[in-house]
Amino acid sequence: MPLNFKSINLPAPPRRTRTATGGGLVEADYQNITLYILILIGIGLRLFQFLYNRSFFIDELFLNVNIVKLDFWGLATRTFEYQQKAPLGYLWAVKLLTTVLGNSEQVLRLFSLLCGISSLFLFVPVARHFLRSWGVVIAVGVLSISYTFIYHSVEAKQYCTELTAAILALFLYTKYHDRTDLKSLLIWGVAGAILLWFSFSLIFIAAGIAGAVCLDTLLRKEWRRFFMLLIPFTLWLLSFGVLYFLFVRKFHESAWLIDFFKRVDDAFMPLPPASVSDLTWLVRKPYSLLDRPLGLMLYFEPNADHSFLYYFLRMGWLYAPTIVLGAVLMLRKNRLNFSVLLLPVLLTMAASGLKVYPFHQRFLLFLGPVFLLMLAYGFERFCALFPRRYSLVALGLLLVLTPALVNSAEQVNDPHQVIKDYNREVVLFVNQNYKPGDAVYVYWNMRQAYEFYKAANYLKFNAIEASYVKNKSRNPTDYINHLKPDFKGFKGKKRLWFIYDTNNRDPIGDFIDQPAWYHDQKFVPGKSLEQEFSKMGKQKTHYQLNTFNATLFELK
């Protein structure tokens, strides 16, 4: 007999009653125990990564050098170095923490950590609105143990705050969308208006909620309710209007950044699609979300052999159909909930088609709860086909959660597995071995590291920052000649420290792969300067972690 998903009615949550024979735990107890064990594991993983306190990677340095240098007013009014941008609410929250606790990397990550932990608890009532039974365990469990959500919870950037804001927006929807009293609608409106100042991407969630609720109300011809709902939605619109006028409109995407997102990240939906490749984007890009930001698929090193076994173990064949199944069945069961979840995705894709927002990895972290709810809904509806087959439920939980847990365990074993930056270690190595009278020369691609650790009072030396002259140089020889005026700063010094990265070739603001000679694989950033400095003296020490280097020369 064929399975009829449409006719399936989910069982009501198990009653919390005891059997007459002994009063053992009922199914709801097992669900709650499993749920909170997963949350505790998620908190533990986040605290481990926070306490491990890995070095800032390049994007964290770009943003946080501005937070450390500027005061509250400056964060609201000044143009940031390295063309950075972040919501004012996030910037001020982090600045407040640094004002009280200092400028350490852990303090700069603390607000993200607090958001990451709080999001786990906030997601529980959201999941219970959209789901029931073991679906709640799946949705909250993946959010708790997925390495991507954990990673962004200890990242000194705004993405985890955007995730938490999205979950809060969904929570407010579950609490207030069916209210008609003025007090409730004002609370909903003011809360949503404030949240927009902590997350640029929240506009997609807010617009999706407003559009779905208004459309549902209009279809039901509930005119009074419709006009009452305009109260919170108008407050959201006004808040975003002020935010746009004061900040967002100043963030015009530069041509170089659009080129980068298009060529490197494939982050813009082809609009209109002009080829088969453009059409496949609609499948390729959403499918890639299973990896990042959801962190569901088993992680392999980038150079792994892409054999059949590789794709089988990554289990996209399980996750993608389950999400699609969940979306289809949710559409049949509750169109309002389906619309609330789908519209933000469609709006984000449309924005990417207009090249105003990248549809790519970390920028989509805020959509993570949407896909997790659809995944969990598909899972629980499938489980409903086999009532009281708890062995199948357990197998399903293992299939969905094990890859995410394995990834996170690997991150504990090697916290630098995904981001292999060692900015702090190299800069502090020079600081520890620096002697009064030494010269320190920082290559342009390590400037952000020096500037941050200097501004945060980590360093006892003042460095000479290499001039940025590659774009006006014709070849490596011409490049060295343009840098020679910097070398006057070494005059009279007995020792020279040189700090550089052999990997980063494109600074903020440059088109990738330009100029061609600089991106020739035979030219290694920093190495030509090492050869030049060897003419001035003898190399005594070389310290290297991954692509990050510090070399000491005794000058003649």
Side-chain angles (χ1 to χ4, degrees), residues 82 442-451 465-468:
Y82 302 106
V442 178
Y443 199 52
W444 68 263
N445 63 14
M446 288 287 287
R447 177 185 295 179
Q448 62 281 343
Y450 165 70
E451 290 185 352
E465 298 182 29
S467 301
Y468 184 71

Side-chain angles (χ1 to χ4, degrees), residues 376-395:
Y377 194 77
F379 173 83
E380 72 174 22
R381 292 303 294 266
F382 180 79
C383 289
L385 295 172
F386 308 98
R388 301 190 182 282
R389 296 292 298 273
Y390 300 126
S391 60
L392 286 177
V393 172
L395 178 61

Side-chain angles (χ1 to χ4, degrees), residues 220-360:
R220 296 174 184 273
K221 297 182 180 180
E222 298 174 349
W223 306 113
R224 181 182 178 278
R225 180 166 171 252
F226 171 77
F227 287 109
M228 290 296 290
L229 285 168
L230 292 181
I231 294 173
F233 301 156
T234 300
L235 288 174
W236 298 356
L237 184 61
L238 290 174
S239 178
F240 181 74
V242 174
L243 183 65
Y244 181 85
F245 178 78
L246 293 178
F247 301 103
V248 178
R249 70 186 179 95
K250 301 176 183 178
F251 300 150
H252 296 300
E253 298 296 356
S254 303
W256 73 269
L257 188 56
I258 292 175
D259 178 72
F260 179 87
F261 283 139
K262 182 178 180 180
R263 294 174 58 188
V264 177
D265 295 334
D266 191 23
F268 297 128
M269 180 177 69
L271 195 66
S275 66
V276 174
S277 177
D278 289 348
L279 289 173
T280 61
W281 187 98
L282 298 173
V283 177
R284 287 185 289 105
K285 205 61 181 178
Y287 181 81
S288 70
L289 303 186
L290 296 174
D291 189 6
R292 298 180 191 175
L294 298 182
L296 286 166
M297 296 200 290
L298 201 62
Y299 176 79
F300 288 91
E301 289 292 338
N303 59 353
D305 178 24
H306 289 195
S307 61
F308 170 79
L309 183 62
Y310 168 87
Y311 289 106
F312 179 81
L313 291 176
R314 301 209 80 196
M315 294 178 57
W317 52 269
L318 172 64
Y319 303 127
T322 306
I323 290 174
V324 173
L325 174 67
V328 171
L329 295 180
M330 188 179 292
L331 171 62
R332 293 182 177 184
K333 186 71 175 180
N334 190 319
R335 292 185 178 181
L336 176 58
N337 282 349
F338 171 79
S339 300
V340 165
L341 297 181
L342 183 66
L343 278 179
V345 179
L346 297 180
L347 290 171
T348 308
M349 293 180 72
S352 80
L354 297 173
K355 295 182 174 59
V356 297
Y357 194 85
F359 197 86
H360 183 69

Side-chain angles (χ1 to χ4, degrees), residues 27 31 53 78 81 90 99 155 202 208 242 256 274 277 289 303 323-324 332 342 356 361 401 447 453-454 513:
E27 185 178 0
Q31 291 167 8
N53 193 29
R78 294 278 296 276
E81 296 179 44
Y90 170 82
T99 301
E155 179 188 24
L202 188 66
V242 174
W256 73 269
S277 177
L289 303 186
N303 59 353
I323 290 174
V324 173
R332 293 182 177 184
L342 183 66
V356 297
Q361 292 187 359
L401 296 177
R447 177 185 295 179
Y453 293 111
K454 183 66 177 178
D513 299 335

Side-chain angles (χ1 to χ4, degrees), residues 363-548:
F363 302 105
L364 302 178
L365 193 74
F366 75 98
L367 290 178
V370 169
F371 293 106
L372 293 183
L373 291 170
M374 290 183 176
L375 172 74
Y377 194 77
F379 173 83
E380 72 174 22
R381 292 303 294 266
F382 180 79
C383 289
L385 295 172
F386 308 98
R388 301 190 182 282
R389 296 292 298 273
Y390 300 126
S391 60
L392 286 177
V393 172
L395 178 61
L397 286 170
L398 286 173
L399 281 173
V400 175
L401 296 177
T402 297
L405 189 57
V406 169
N407 289 337
S408 296
E410 285 293 324
Q411 286 278 290
V412 171
N413 181 58
D414 178 14
H416 285 275
Q417 185 183 79
V418 177
I419 300 294
K420 300 182 183 297
D421 282 13
Y422 297 91
N423 292 283
R424 181 182 65 218
E425 288 83 351
V426 169
V427 172
L428 292 189
F429 174 82
V430 174
N431 192 62
Q432 291 163 3
N433 294 279
Y434 172 85
K435 295 181 180 180
D438 288 357
V440 181
Y441 190 57
V442 178
Y443 199 52
W444 68 263
N445 63 14
M446 288 287 287
R447 177 185 295 179
Q448 62 281 343
Y450 165 70
E451 290 185 352
F452 169 77
Y453 293 111
K454 183 66 177 178
N457 298 316
Y458 280 69
L459 307 180
K460 59 188 176 184
F461 62 83
N462 294 311
I464 301 167
E465 298 182 29
S467 301
Y468 184 71
V469 294
K470 76 180 182 72
N471 288 340
K472 67 178 183 180
S473 303
R474 300 184 302 273
N475 51 54
T477 302
D478 192 35
Y479 183 57
I480 295 295
N481 289 333
H482 278 119
L483 286 174
K484 282 186 175 178
D486 294 345
F487 303 166
K488 295 178 182 178
F490 311 156
K491 188 176 181 180
K493 305 295 184 181
K494 294 183 178 180
R495 303 201 314 171
L496 168 66
W497 289 96
F498 178 41
I499 303 173
Y500 64 100
D501 174 14
T502 58
N503 180 58
N504 182 17
R505 296 172 184 260
D506 295 302
I508 291 288
D510 268 20
F511 285 89
I512 60 173
D513 299 335
Q514 298 296 325
W517 66 264
Y518 195 87
H519 289 77
D520 189 320
Q521 292 303 307
K522 295 179 182 178
F523 180 86
V524 181
K527 286 298 182 183
S528 59
L529 273 173
E530 271 200 346
Q531 295 170 5
E532 188 69 21
F533 296 150
S534 294
K535 299 175 185 178
M536 303 179 187
K538 183 179 180 181
Q539 180 177 318
K540 298 295 292 183
T541 302
H542 182 77
Y543 180 71
Q544 180 176 357
L545 289 171
N546 199 17
T547 63
F548 300 87

